[in-house]
Short mmCIF file of all heavy atoms in Angstrom, two decimals:
data_model
loop_
_atom_site.label_atom_id
_atom_site.label_comp_id
_atom_site.label_asym_id
_atom_site.label_seq_id
_atom_site.Cartn_x
_atom_site.Cartn_y
_atom_site.Cartn_z
N LEU U 80 7.43 17.63 12.12
CA LEU U 80 8.19 16.36 12.38
C LEU U 80 8.35 16.16 13.82
O LEU U 80 8.58 17.10 14.56
CB LEU U 80 9.52 16.33 11.64
CG LEU U 80 9.55 16.41 10.18
CD1 LEU U 80 10.99 16.53 9.65
CD2 LEU U 80 8.87 15.21 9.57
N MET U 81 8.23 14.88 14.28
CA MET U 81 8.49 14.56 15.66
C MET U 81 9.69 13.52 15.70
O MET U 81 9.64 12.62 14.91
CB MET U 81 7.28 13.98 16.31
CG MET U 81 6.15 14.91 16.38
SD MET U 81 4.52 14.40 17.13
CE MET U 81 4.88 12.90 17.97
N ARG U 82 10.57 13.73 16.59
CA ARG U 82 11.71 12.84 16.75
C ARG U 82 11.88 12.54 18.24
O ARG U 82 11.74 13.41 19.10
CB ARG U 82 12.98 13.44 16.18
CG ARG U 82 12.99 13.66 14.69
CD ARG U 82 12.99 12.36 13.98
NE ARG U 82 13.13 12.50 12.57
CZ ARG U 82 12.20 12.28 11.66
NH1 ARG U 82 11.01 11.97 12.11
NH2 ARG U 82 12.40 12.43 10.43
N LYS U 83 12.26 11.33 18.52
CA LYS U 83 12.55 10.91 19.91
C LYS U 83 14.12 10.91 20.13
O LYS U 83 14.85 10.36 19.31
CB LYS U 83 12.02 9.52 20.17
CG LYS U 83 12.29 9.00 21.60
CD LYS U 83 11.67 7.69 21.75
CE LYS U 83 11.77 7.18 23.20
NZ LYS U 83 11.15 5.85 23.39
N ALA U 84 14.52 11.60 21.13
CA ALA U 84 15.94 11.64 21.46
C ALA U 84 16.43 10.30 21.97
O ALA U 84 15.92 9.81 22.87
CB ALA U 84 16.28 12.74 22.47
N MET U 85 17.34 9.67 21.24
CA MET U 85 17.82 8.40 21.55
C MET U 85 18.92 8.44 22.61
O MET U 85 19.35 7.38 23.22
CB MET U 85 18.31 7.66 20.34
CG MET U 85 17.30 7.48 19.20
SD MET U 85 15.71 6.81 19.82
CE MET U 85 16.22 5.12 19.99
N LYS U 86 19.44 9.66 22.89
CA LYS U 86 20.44 9.86 23.99
C LYS U 86 20.26 11.32 24.37
O LYS U 86 19.61 12.12 23.65
CB LYS U 86 21.83 9.52 23.45
CG LYS U 86 22.28 10.43 22.32
CD LYS U 86 23.70 10.04 21.83
CE LYS U 86 24.09 10.96 20.73
NZ LYS U 86 25.45 10.73 20.22
N ASP U 87 20.94 11.72 25.50
CA ASP U 87 20.93 13.09 25.86
C ASP U 87 21.59 13.96 24.75
O ASP U 87 22.69 13.55 24.22
CB ASP U 87 21.72 13.32 27.17
CG ASP U 87 20.94 12.81 28.43
OD1 ASP U 87 19.73 12.42 28.27
OD2 ASP U 87 21.56 12.77 29.46
N VAL U 88 20.96 15.05 24.36
CA VAL U 88 21.47 15.88 23.26
C VAL U 88 21.72 17.29 23.79
O VAL U 88 20.83 18.01 24.15
CB VAL U 88 20.44 15.93 22.13
CG1 VAL U 88 21.07 16.77 20.98
CG2 VAL U 88 20.05 14.51 21.63
N PRO U 89 23.02 17.66 23.96
CA PRO U 89 23.33 18.99 24.36
C PRO U 89 23.07 20.01 23.22
O PRO U 89 23.37 19.73 22.04
CB PRO U 89 24.84 18.92 24.68
CG PRO U 89 25.37 17.81 23.92
CD PRO U 89 24.24 16.78 23.69
N ILE U 90 22.48 21.18 23.64
CA ILE U 90 22.12 22.17 22.68
C ILE U 90 22.71 23.47 23.11
O ILE U 90 22.76 23.83 24.31
CB ILE U 90 20.55 22.35 22.57
CG1 ILE U 90 19.91 21.00 22.21
CG2 ILE U 90 20.21 23.46 21.60
CD1 ILE U 90 20.20 20.51 20.77
N GLU U 91 23.19 24.33 22.15
CA GLU U 91 23.65 25.65 22.56
C GLU U 91 23.10 26.64 21.50
O GLU U 91 23.26 26.43 20.31
CB GLU U 91 25.13 25.74 22.55
CG GLU U 91 25.66 27.11 22.96
CD GLU U 91 27.17 27.19 23.17
OE1 GLU U 91 27.83 26.14 23.19
OE2 GLU U 91 27.69 28.28 23.29
N SER U 92 22.40 27.71 21.91
CA SER U 92 21.84 28.70 21.00
C SER U 92 22.92 29.63 20.55
O SER U 92 24.06 29.57 21.01
CB SER U 92 20.78 29.47 21.77
OG SER U 92 21.37 30.38 22.68
N LYS U 93 22.58 30.39 19.50
CA LYS U 93 23.49 31.43 18.99
C LYS U 93 23.93 32.41 20.08
O LYS U 93 25.04 32.87 19.99
CB LYS U 93 22.84 32.15 17.85
CG LYS U 93 22.63 31.36 16.60
CD LYS U 93 21.91 32.21 15.54
CE LYS U 93 21.58 31.34 14.35
NZ LYS U 93 20.88 32.09 13.30
N GLU U 94 23.07 32.58 21.03
CA GLU U 94 23.39 33.51 22.11
C GLU U 94 24.19 32.91 23.27
O GLU U 94 24.54 33.56 24.16
CB GLU U 94 22.05 34.11 22.74
CG GLU U 94 21.21 34.94 21.75
CD GLU U 94 20.37 34.09 20.75
OE1 GLU U 94 20.10 32.94 21.11
OE2 GLU U 94 20.15 34.62 19.66
N GLY U 95 24.52 31.61 23.09
CA GLY U 95 25.25 30.93 24.10
C GLY U 95 24.52 30.22 25.19
O GLY U 95 25.15 29.62 26.08
N LYS U 96 23.18 30.25 25.11
CA LYS U 96 22.38 29.59 26.16
C LYS U 96 22.52 28.07 25.93
O LYS U 96 22.43 27.57 24.78
CB LYS U 96 20.91 30.01 26.07
CG LYS U 96 20.04 29.44 27.10
CD LYS U 96 18.61 29.86 27.07
CE LYS U 96 17.84 29.18 28.02
NZ LYS U 96 16.41 29.56 27.98
N LYS U 97 22.71 27.30 26.96
CA LYS U 97 22.84 25.89 26.90
C LYS U 97 21.84 25.13 27.65
O LYS U 97 21.34 25.59 28.62
CB LYS U 97 24.20 25.43 27.47
CG LYS U 97 25.43 26.05 26.71
CD LYS U 97 26.75 25.63 27.33
CE LYS U 97 27.93 26.26 26.58
NZ LYS U 97 29.21 25.79 27.12
N TRP U 98 21.35 24.03 27.06
CA TRP U 98 20.41 23.10 27.72
C TRP U 98 20.61 21.72 27.08
O TRP U 98 21.32 21.61 26.11
CB TRP U 98 18.95 23.59 27.63
CG TRP U 98 18.43 23.63 26.28
CD1 TRP U 98 17.63 22.66 25.73
CD2 TRP U 98 18.47 24.74 25.35
NE1 TRP U 98 17.22 23.06 24.46
CE2 TRP U 98 17.75 24.33 24.15
CE3 TRP U 98 19.13 25.91 25.33
CZ2 TRP U 98 17.61 25.14 23.11
CZ3 TRP U 98 19.02 26.74 24.17
CH2 TRP U 98 18.22 26.34 23.12
N THR U 99 19.91 20.74 27.65
CA THR U 99 20.04 19.36 27.19
C THR U 99 18.64 18.78 26.90
O THR U 99 17.75 18.93 27.76
CB THR U 99 20.75 18.45 28.22
OG1 THR U 99 22.08 19.04 28.38
CG2 THR U 99 20.86 17.03 27.75
N ILE U 100 18.48 18.20 25.75
CA ILE U 100 17.23 17.42 25.46
C ILE U 100 17.47 16.04 26.05
O ILE U 100 18.35 15.31 25.62
CB ILE U 100 16.97 17.35 23.99
CG1 ILE U 100 16.78 18.76 23.41
CG2 ILE U 100 15.76 16.46 23.69
CD1 ILE U 100 16.65 18.78 21.85
#
Side-chain angles (χ1 to χ4, degrees):
L80 295 175
M81 294 178 17
R82 295 288 187 256
K83 182 177 183 179
M85 302 308 287
K86 62 181 182 179
D87 287 352
V88 180
I90 304 290
E91 184 173 349
S92 71
K93 291 179 184 177
E94 295 78 26
K96 183 177 178 182
K97 296 180 182 183
W98 67 94
T99 299
I100 299 171

